[in-house]
Amino acid sequence: MNEEYEDDGWMRNNTGEKESADEIMENPQEVLSECLEKFSTPDYIMEPGIFTQLKRYFQAGGTPEQVINRLSQNYTAVAQMANLLAEWLIMAGVKVTDVQAMVENHLKDMILKTFDPKKADTIFTEEGETPDWLTQMIRHHTWRSLIYRLAEEYPDCLMLNFTIKLISDAGYQSEITSISTAAQQIEVFSRVLKTSIAKYLTNADERQKTIQELAKMVCHSQHTYVYSQVMIHLLALEAKGGSNMKRLAEEVAKYALDQGLNITPITMALNNSSPHPAASQALTSMLSRNNLNPADINVLYRHYSSSEPPPIDLIRNPQFLNLLVDSLFKTGVKLNPEHKSKYIYLLAYAASVCETQPKNGQQKKTLNKDELKTTIGAIEKVHAICNVNKGSSELIVDLCTLYQCIKYPVVAVGVIRWVENTVTEPSYFKLCTDSCPVHLVILDEVATLHTSLHDQILQLIIKLFESKQDELEILVQLELRKMLLDRMVNLLARGCVVPVVKYIKQCCAKDDTDISLIRYFVTEVLDTITHPYSKEFVELFLPMVENEEITGTMRDGDNDVVSEFIVRTRMTRGAI
């Protein structure tokens, strides 16, 4: 690809020189006139093409006196005046870094307003090779970020595409994960994909953000999606880290579905469904419509209840499982009694059956169905509870059953879906008189049993915390949010520490949350935790504790929990 650009540039340069020579031989007066017109523009002596134009001018018979007069008369020294002004600002006491940032930001704004992709492409026509200033330019983050913005706006610009490749060659591919231009060059795209996958595997704390960036890039086009998913699929077959790659493939597929993309044919092609055409056709039909169909469910049930069922990965499709969970756990969804048991069977089968592929000497795969029957029973019991719209007081008699059944992860996922569907009803908190609704108490139990579901629970609590409850009185709204903060503290106590504290810190930074709520959270956390504290937790939580506006009224000498936490964390920092 590099040769492509270089050859293209050299060819155009040679052609240009030939045309220039012909032009001089035929009409030198026109060349002189054109050059003098350029020399008359402000600060033309600072232009990169000045030497090329001088050569053309003298070859056409131009005189030195004339060109010197034109260039000097039109020299306004804009760049030099900017440097002089910058020096004055520094002498006046402004920091060098601040002055540099002012100049760079102004230049960026000017370039963004006046950038012409056609003129930019002439750089290769005039230079014939990579300009030195461009190589120096990409060494600085400020100018690389400018290139990224321009590349998004002008994806067909040859100069920008080439510069993106230069940036990738220089080792900065981790910065261009969201640049659609990278998708146009397979070499650059492959490097960026590799860097993004490595970041996903090694940086657990930023995993969700990395997934979003990677998925956006992968879903740039059908070609990039197929290429990336095939690569991820092959990596998922590896014994070490394969499960993480499978999760990544599913997250990318989920993002694509959220964007309204039809990825069903690609998904089915990658899950080895071709040896089972009937089951594959039934599943494809439902996925493409994003809706379950009793006839297709019946086909799948018949195959998976047979003595030789298709691979279990076929129905472990996240989209299909989400449809099953919604149909069984959302309040008010009516299923035909004849087909309901088949829905439950397929969900329980996908969640509990363990499939072992045949090894040397074995004729076929082995299936472990030890937990299938009990999982079916748990889903049936909770489905019967969730399918009826019960109030908090009516649910108390079912708590024992719910607590027993949510030990199964698939039931816990369904319960979260049911609770979300219930508590997000506009009138839920208006009609609920309990200090803590039973539905949210059940969420606390799910958080205790399943750490892998912490993120789903936190997102639901955040959604409720940020929801407008305008029908409630102000004091009632405050009490409601305090109750939701208690749920967050419970999550924190169960191990979901950094995400919870990070969210509250964001609320504090946005300054859109009542300060009494931040103070309440800090108080509850200080009463819950004990040393030693992780470095990341201290970095997130300590600024809130040290904030006088938040904890000023809570301090009482050196014996209160606030002062004790500050002293202990400072001692720990000193030891580090």
Side-chain angles (χ1 to χ4, degrees), residues 72 97 206 297 303 310-311 334 337 339 349 384 441 449 451 462 470 505 511 517:
S72 59
T97 52
E206 296 290 331
I297 288 290
H303 280 81
K334 301 298 181 184
H339 301 293
Y349 189 98
V441 172
L449 295 171
T451 56
I462 289 173
D470 295 333
K505 186 179 180 181
D511 200 25
L517 294 174

Short mmCIF file of all heavy atoms in Angstrom, two decimals, residues 72 97 206 297 303 310-311 334 337 339 349 384 441 449 451 462 470 505 511 517:
data_model
loop_
_atom_site.label_atom_id
_atom_site.label_comp_id
_atom_site.label_asym_id
_atom_site.label_seq_id
_atom_site.Cartn_x
_atom_site.Cartn_y
_atom_site.Cartn_z
N SER A 72 9.09 40.17 -1.52
CA SER A 72 9.34 41.05 -0.38
C SER A 72 8.18 42.01 -0.13
O SER A 72 7.82 42.29 1.02
CB SER A 72 10.64 41.83 -0.59
OG SER A 72 10.56 42.60 -1.77
N THR A 97 3.43 26.32 28.16
CA THR A 97 2.48 25.29 27.70
C THR A 97 1.13 25.90 27.34
O THR A 97 0.48 25.47 26.38
CB THR A 97 2.30 24.21 28.77
OG1 THR A 97 1.96 24.85 30.03
CG2 THR A 97 3.57 23.38 28.95
N GLU A 206 -11.23 -0.84 31.74
CA GLU A 206 -11.74 -0.05 30.63
C GLU A 206 -12.39 -0.93 29.57
O GLU A 206 -12.55 -0.52 28.42
CB GLU A 206 -10.58 0.76 30.00
CG GLU A 206 -9.96 1.78 30.93
CD GLU A 206 -10.89 2.95 31.19
OE1 GLU A 206 -11.72 3.25 30.31
OE2 GLU A 206 -10.80 3.55 32.28
N ILE A 297 -39.97 -22.49 17.05
CA ILE A 297 -39.63 -23.01 18.37
C ILE A 297 -39.89 -24.51 18.42
O ILE A 297 -39.10 -25.29 18.99
CB ILE A 297 -40.45 -22.29 19.46
CG1 ILE A 297 -39.96 -20.84 19.64
CG2 ILE A 297 -40.38 -23.03 20.79
CD1 ILE A 297 -38.60 -20.71 20.27
N HIS A 303 -35.60 -30.99 17.64
CA HIS A 303 -34.21 -31.38 17.39
C HIS A 303 -33.41 -31.50 18.69
O HIS A 303 -32.61 -32.41 18.85
CB HIS A 303 -33.54 -30.35 16.46
CG HIS A 303 -33.88 -30.54 15.02
ND1 HIS A 303 -35.04 -30.07 14.46
CD2 HIS A 303 -33.20 -31.16 14.01
CE1 HIS A 303 -35.08 -30.38 13.18
NE2 HIS A 303 -33.97 -31.05 12.88
N PRO A 310 -28.46 -30.97 17.70
CA PRO A 310 -27.44 -30.12 17.07
C PRO A 310 -26.49 -29.55 18.13
O PRO A 310 -26.75 -29.66 19.34
CB PRO A 310 -28.26 -29.01 16.40
CG PRO A 310 -29.65 -29.54 16.33
CD PRO A 310 -29.81 -30.45 17.51
N PRO A 311 -25.40 -28.91 17.72
CA PRO A 311 -24.48 -28.29 18.69
C PRO A 311 -25.20 -27.27 19.57
O PRO A 311 -26.06 -26.52 19.09
CB PRO A 311 -23.42 -27.61 17.81
CG PRO A 311 -23.50 -28.31 16.51
CD PRO A 311 -24.92 -28.74 16.34
N LYS A 334 -48.10 -13.13 26.96
CA LYS A 334 -48.93 -14.33 26.95
C LYS A 334 -48.36 -15.37 25.98
O LYS A 334 -48.12 -15.06 24.81
CB LYS A 334 -50.36 -13.99 26.53
CG LYS A 334 -51.05 -12.98 27.44
CD LYS A 334 -51.18 -13.50 28.86
CE LYS A 334 -51.90 -12.49 29.76
NZ LYS A 334 -51.96 -12.96 31.17
N PRO A 337 -50.17 -22.07 26.09
CA PRO A 337 -49.80 -23.14 27.04
C PRO A 337 -49.18 -24.36 26.39
O PRO A 337 -48.34 -25.04 26.99
CB PRO A 337 -51.13 -23.48 27.72
CG PRO A 337 -51.96 -22.24 27.57
CD PRO A 337 -51.56 -21.64 26.26
N HIS A 339 -47.13 -24.38 23.90
CA HIS A 339 -45.75 -24.11 23.48
C HIS A 339 -44.86 -23.61 24.63
O HIS A 339 -43.64 -23.61 24.49
CB HIS A 339 -45.74 -23.07 22.36
CG HIS A 339 -46.52 -23.49 21.15
ND1 HIS A 339 -46.13 -24.54 20.34
CD2 HIS A 339 -47.67 -23.00 20.61
CE1 HIS A 339 -47.00 -24.67 19.35
NE2 HIS A 339 -47.95 -23.75 19.50
N TYR A 349 -32.07 -25.68 28.44
CA TYR A 349 -31.08 -26.50 27.74
C TYR A 349 -29.84 -25.66 27.42
O TYR A 349 -28.70 -26.08 27.67
CB TYR A 349 -31.69 -27.05 26.45
CG TYR A 349 -30.85 -28.09 25.75
CD1 TYR A 349 -31.10 -29.45 25.91
CD2 TYR A 349 -29.80 -27.72 24.92
CE1 TYR A 349 -30.33 -30.41 25.27
CE2 TYR A 349 -29.02 -28.66 24.26
CZ TYR A 349 -29.30 -30.01 24.43
OH TYR A 349 -28.52 -30.96 23.80
N ALA A 384 -44.10 -18.40 36.58
CA ALA A 384 -45.47 -18.32 37.11
C ALA A 384 -45.65 -17.09 38.00
O ALA A 384 -46.73 -16.48 38.04
CB ALA A 384 -45.79 -19.59 37.89
N VAL A 441 -35.31 -5.38 46.78
CA VAL A 441 -34.73 -6.30 47.77
C VAL A 441 -34.28 -7.58 47.07
O VAL A 441 -33.22 -8.14 47.37
CB VAL A 441 -35.75 -6.62 48.88
CG1 VAL A 441 -35.22 -7.72 49.80
CG2 VAL A 441 -36.07 -5.35 49.69
N LEU A 449 -25.52 -13.22 45.04
CA LEU A 449 -25.27 -14.55 44.50
C LEU A 449 -24.48 -14.55 43.20
O LEU A 449 -23.75 -15.51 42.92
CB LEU A 449 -26.62 -15.26 44.25
CG LEU A 449 -27.46 -15.58 45.49
CD1 LEU A 449 -28.85 -16.06 45.07
CD2 LEU A 449 -26.77 -16.63 46.36
N THR A 451 -21.92 -12.33 40.95
CA THR A 451 -21.07 -11.16 40.68
C THR A 451 -21.05 -10.79 39.20
O THR A 451 -20.85 -9.62 38.85
CB THR A 451 -19.63 -11.41 41.15
OG1 THR A 451 -19.13 -12.61 40.52
CG2 THR A 451 -19.58 -11.61 42.66
N ILE A 462 -28.83 2.91 38.22
CA ILE A 462 -28.47 4.24 37.69
C ILE A 462 -29.64 4.81 36.88
O ILE A 462 -29.96 6.01 36.99
CB ILE A 462 -27.21 4.13 36.81
CG1 ILE A 462 -25.97 3.87 37.68
CG2 ILE A 462 -27.01 5.41 35.99
CD1 ILE A 462 -24.71 3.60 36.89
N ASP A 470 -41.26 13.44 38.84
CA ASP A 470 -41.87 14.75 39.08
C ASP A 470 -43.20 14.68 39.84
O ASP A 470 -43.63 15.66 40.44
CB ASP A 470 -42.08 15.48 37.75
CG ASP A 470 -40.76 15.79 37.06
OD1 ASP A 470 -39.76 15.93 37.78
OD2 ASP A 470 -40.74 15.90 35.82
N LYS A 505 -18.62 9.65 41.52
CA LYS A 505 -17.65 10.72 41.27
C LYS A 505 -18.06 11.53 40.05
O LYS A 505 -17.90 12.76 40.02
CB LYS A 505 -16.26 10.12 41.06
CG LYS A 505 -15.16 11.18 40.93
CD LYS A 505 -13.79 10.57 40.75
CE LYS A 505 -12.74 11.67 40.62
NZ LYS A 505 -11.38 11.12 40.41
N ASP A 511 -22.02 18.12 38.90
CA ASP A 511 -22.70 19.10 39.76
C ASP A 511 -24.20 19.15 39.49
O ASP A 511 -24.83 20.21 39.57
CB ASP A 511 -22.07 20.48 39.58
CG ASP A 511 -22.36 21.41 40.76
OD1 ASP A 511 -22.59 20.88 41.86
OD2 ASP A 511 -22.36 22.64 40.57
N LEU A 517 -27.07 14.09 48.84
CA LEU A 517 -27.03 12.69 48.39
C LEU A 517 -25.60 12.19 48.29
O LEU A 517 -25.31 11.05 48.66
CB LEU A 517 -27.74 12.56 47.03
CG LEU A 517 -29.25 12.83 47.03
CD1 LEU A 517 -29.80 12.83 45.60
CD2 LEU A 517 -29.98 11.79 47.88
#
